[in-house]
Amino acid sequence: MGETIKNTSTKIPFKVSARTARLIGRENIATSKGAIIELVKNAYDADSSVAIVFFDNKYSTFLSEISEDHFETLLKKGIDKKLLDIIYKFEEENYILNSNIDEDKLLTFKKAISRLSVLYIIDAGEGMTQNVIREHWMTIGTDNKSNNVFTKTGRVKAGAKGIGRFALDKLGSKCEMTTIFNPKYHHQDTDINGEKTNCKGYKWKVDWEDFEGEYKTIDSVGAELFGLLNSTIKREITQEIPSFDFSKISSEVDFEFGTILKISDLRDNWEDYYVQQVYSDLEVLVPPKETGGFEIYLYSSLEPNKYGEVFSSICDDFDFKLTAIADENQNVKIKIERREYDIELIPNEFFERDALKKFPYTKEIFKKGFWETSLTFSQLLKGFKDVDEDNIFSNIGVFEFSFYFLKRTYDTPNADRFFYRRFMSNDRKDWLNKFGGIKLFRDNFRVRPYGEVKDAAFDWLGLGSRKSTSPAGVAKKEGGYRVEPENVAGAVKISRLTNVNFEDKSSREGLQDNKTFQIFKQLLASIINVFEEDRSYIAREMSDFDDFRFGAERDLKAAEELAKRILESSRAKKKEKESASGNTEQNTSNNQNGTDTDREKEILASKIESQEEEIEKLKEEQKVLRGLASSGIVLASFSHDLSKLNDVLNSRTDKLKGLLLSKIAETEYEGIEDRKNPFFQLEKIKKQDLKLQNWLNFSLGATRKDKRKRKQLFLKKYFSDLSVDWSTVLENRGINFDVTDIENLDLRVYEIDFDSIFNNLLVNSIDAFTILKINRAREIKIKAKSTNKEIIIDYYDNGPGLSDDILDPNKIFEPLFTTRRNPFTGEEEGTGLGMWLVKSIVSENDGTLKLLFPDIGFGIRMIFPIKYKR
């Protein structure tokens, strides 16, 4: 390293290229629509009660027919008359498009008139003084809005990054700002020298093309500023847009103070099609039913009667609505409204079912139309608090969530089965296509692009992925119903004050995808699951009720149709046979009927036999799949302990040791540290290879063919072998596996079924021990005993037990239920099939399953009828 000269250091200032303005404006803000929304937010932050977006696009849009006045105006605006004469010809009272126009001339004309388009963003807010323009408006990345969160009237400011004004560059190359400031909020105005001025407002002009050029620094580029001695914003609007109709704006707005942004040399085509898109975007800019005293208007000179005030969307035709309000203590109050069902059509017998006699499924609650509950963050995101080392829940803060579910289609069979209320499907489709998706709002302004139709971020909560993982129908008996993203709408409301960890991206398109935001998304999905479980429970009961009422009738009808098809087929074949033999006239009616009956029986018997064979094959396949599923769970859980070196694990260390001994004696390393002794290290590797080999043998043996045969299973030997198979894994984790309390019993069962049961239970216990925060000896115990009628197998561990967040312990037996969470994203990591497999296997063997609740840890009891004992 070279020497430095003492006391000669100099601070060298950074220089910022003028090209930075383009990087944080034109190239950083994603879309022109997004840039307009940023400027509307500025109007909100200026305490304006209105924001007006005015497209002066009448003369910039290519039209096939124009009036004389239109023609003359184009001339006044500088369009070459020779070019106009090439494009249009005068007929009667109007100018119409010439036929056979040269494409180059037409393109030249379109480019010429496109420069005539002007965009205005107008507000009636507090305006800006020269000092504010200089210190804040002209300061890139100012922290004014970050430090001064509230506006003068108490609004929470929507902006924070200090780069919103560069949205102007995204829209056009030239900008002129006219601002009249309110002396109520700005008591004194000073110039660059600190001298008091008499100005009432200012005109500020900038040409963004001045920022182009090599080696330019941003401090070498300036904007022009002119003082206005006496004016109002209404007078300035009238001068700029003489045709503007103030009567269309709320009468409460006086337009004395405010700001006009005039953007010209626009970079985009603003024909009516694109104006319509902006209007649609503004419709979802503010949350439904809440505008915060802020009205938005959009007008177009091309279509003066087409647009006007932008009204937020209101969803009043829904099947289900969920409202969730989270407080600062991580409690969530949830209200679910049900409108999907026509209560008058539901028979009283339905509500007499046992499943409908508990909260919230009673007839009284159905008539009431809604029910409420309160859950904590940890109850919603079960298992996450056990792996949450950063206290993410406390970082999320308070929020509100409104969620709507709307079916798009209506079919009579399902409507009768589920007692659905009728609706206009076309109206719903149109509404969902426009306003569907879950939007995110912060301080009454939408954060784009979350929930934006046709955008990649439309399904930002990953509802589609949840559905593809669990495609179960709403009435599936095993559960697992997940809602489709195309059938939902909603709004999530957060605030800069209470959700401080949700930071904007610099592009103004979305929030930074940090850990807090990831967990927040998982929390919202869990809130949606409260609706999914409610709707699914009702659908299952309605489906069962329908089967109870009409199932026998449907089965009889199906049988009759099958018999009819068989009979027709039999007669057709007989007719062909008789025709071929020439003996059709010799058959009597009785013989015909007798023959048909015999053949029907044969065909039905054949069908039944083939069906039974198919069922047996499927059952056999199910056994294999269960074993594979259990093996997969084990392999996924302990993949770091395994490898594919089974063929060489026995001998590789011995071969390596032999090679070393041929060159050097082992005695030469006597007295050397173990870490530097290759022979000692080889012994360590040999022990590790043995562990790997044990694991491979165990996993490869999980689906042995003989395990798929139902035979006598001796429990004492089975659990002894199970203990040996798991010994390496359990010993490494300091877990004692006790299988000494097993009576000398045997059952005739599939061994692979028992493997599935106990491998899943052991995997769950090991996972539970990893999150155990109390230091105690780890134990797993299996007991087996018998009575005159039953064989009872108990499984215990002394881990943390079931989480208190699981309000209904029996939910652990539902498919896809898991409490294993990724500590960084909060996403579910377990398959959610383990305990469902356990219950399924026990039930298939005519057994019953009961959860035990020991003082410490987890317990489960399996009871098999004595008929399975030899």
Side-chain angles (χ1 to χ4, degrees), residues 788-799:
N788 290 332
K789 297 181 180 180
E790 300 167 331
I791 292 175
I792 301 169
I793 302 174
D794 291 343
Y795 176 96
Y796 299 94
D797 71 46
N798 68 338

Side-chain angles (χ1 to χ4, degrees), residues 125-133 178-190 196-202 227-229 231-233 256-259:
E126 63 180 86
M128 285 185 278
T129 63
Q130 182 179 155
N131 187 58
V132 171
I133 294 171
T178 304
T179 182
I180 309 295
F181 63 86
N182 189 338
K184 177 181 175 181
Y185 300 128
H186 303 285
H187 300 298
Q188 187 174 350
D189 183 27
T190 57
K196 186 176 180 180
T197 71
N198 295 319
C199 295
K200 303 296 182 183
Y202 293 91
L228 298 174
L229 293 177
S231 187
T232 65
I233 207 69
E256 184 175 359
F257 311 106
T259 300

Side-chain angles (χ1 to χ4, degrees), residues 269-415:
N269 180 351
W270 289 109
E271 293 182 354
D272 189 61
Y273 173 80
Y274 301 104
V275 174
Q276 175 68 52
Q277 289 186 349
V278 174
Y279 187 80
S280 297
D281 268 26
L282 291 172
E283 284 182 301
V284 291
L285 182 61
V286 291
K289 300 184 181 179
E290 183 172 350
T291 58
F294 184 65
E295 298 172 354
I296 303 173
Y297 296 84
L298 183 142
Y299 294 103
S300 163
S301 61
L302 179 66
E303 298 281 355
N305 299 316
K306 184 174 182 179
Y307 304 104
E309 184 175 356
V310 179
F311 294 101
S312 59
S313 63
I314 298 174
C315 182
D316 53 9
D317 177 29
F318 55 83
D319 289 323
F320 272 80
K321 178 183 178 182
L322 180 149
T323 307
I325 301 174
D327 64 21
E328 63 276 4
N329 297 317
Q330 300 164 31
N331 298 311
V332 186
K333 290 183 179 179
I334 297 175
K335 177 181 178 181
I336 290 185
E337 297 179 49
R338 303 172 180 147
R339 291 194 193 172
E340 185 168 22
Y341 315 106
D342 191 334
I343 307 300
E344 301 299 323
L345 297 178
I346 304 177
N348 285 328
E349 302 95 285
F350 174 73
F351 295 105
E352 292 171 2
R353 297 167 63 86
D354 290 339
L356 276 296
K357 292 179 181 178
K358 65 178 184 178
F359 178 84
Y361 304 107
T362 62
K363 186 174 183 179
E364 290 73 22
I365 293 175
F366 265 83
K367 285 188 172 181
K368 189 178 180 181
F370 69 90
W371 62 277
E372 297 173 290
T373 188
S374 184
L375 298 170
T376 64
F377 284 11
S378 56
Q379 286 170 340
L380 286 163
L381 215 59
K382 299 175 184 67
F384 181 72
K385 73 175 182 181
D386 296 322
V387 296
D388 181 16
E389 297 179 355
D390 300 323
N391 200 18
I392 295 297
F393 279 164
S394 63
N395 294 340
I396 290 175
V398 304
F399 64 88
E400 294 182 23
F401 180 27
S402 299
F403 171 86
Y404 299 88
F405 168 75
L406 302 85
K407 294 190 303 294
R408 285 176 175 258
T409 58
Y410 181 96
D411 61 273
T412 302
N414 273 332

Side-chain angles (χ1 to χ4, degrees), residues 14 58 119 153 172 214 247 251 283 302 305 367 489 491 507 550 564 576 611 643 653 671 724 800 818 839 858:
F14 282 97
K58 182 177 180 179
L119 172 60
T153 62
E214 295 183 1
S247 66
S251 60
E283 284 182 301
L302 179 66
N305 299 316
K367 285 188 172 181
S507 65
F550 306 116
K564 185 178 179 181
E576 289 176 8
Q611 290 268 347
S643 74
T653 50
V724 172
T818 179
K839 183 179 181 181
F858 169 81

Side-chain angles (χ1 to χ4, degrees), residues 19 67 73 101 179 243 366 404 411 428 436 468 560 680 755:
R19 182 170 168 268
S67 66
T73 304
I101 304 172
T179 182
S243 62
F366 265 83
Y404 299 88
D411 61 273
R428 279 199 179 180
S468 63
E560 288 175 348
F680 178 82
D755 286 347

Side-chain angles (χ1 to χ4, degrees), residues 16 21 58 62 141 182 195 217 230 242 372 447 478 562 596 614 681 700 741 752 797 799 832 837 856:
V16 181
K58 182 177 180 179
F62 175 66
N182 189 338
E195 299 292 330
T217 56
N230 188 22
E372 297 173 290
V447 182
E478 294 83 2
L562 176 62
D596 286 345
E614 185 66 20
Q681 296 298 327
L700 292 173
D741 196 0
I752 198 169
D797 71 46
L837 280 169
I856 297 174

Side-chain angles (χ1 to χ4, degrees), residues 500-516:
V500 294
N501 282 275
F502 297 161
E503 292 286 337
D504 280 327
K505 292 180 181 177
S506 294
S507 65
R508 315 293 282 169
E509 290 284 304
L511 302 178
Q512 295 177 19
D513 205 11
N514 56 25
K515 186 175 179 180
T516 302

Side-chain angles (χ1 to χ4, degrees), residues 544-569:
D544 286 347
F545 182 62
D546 189 69
D547 289 342
F548 171 74
R549 292 197 300 168
F550 306 116
E553 183 181 329
R554 280 197 300 265
D555 291 344
L556 179 60
K557 186 176 180 180
E560 288 175 348
E561 289 178 354
L562 176 62
K564 185 178 179 181
R565 288 198 301 270
I566 292 171
L567 185 59
E568 289 174 352
S569 174

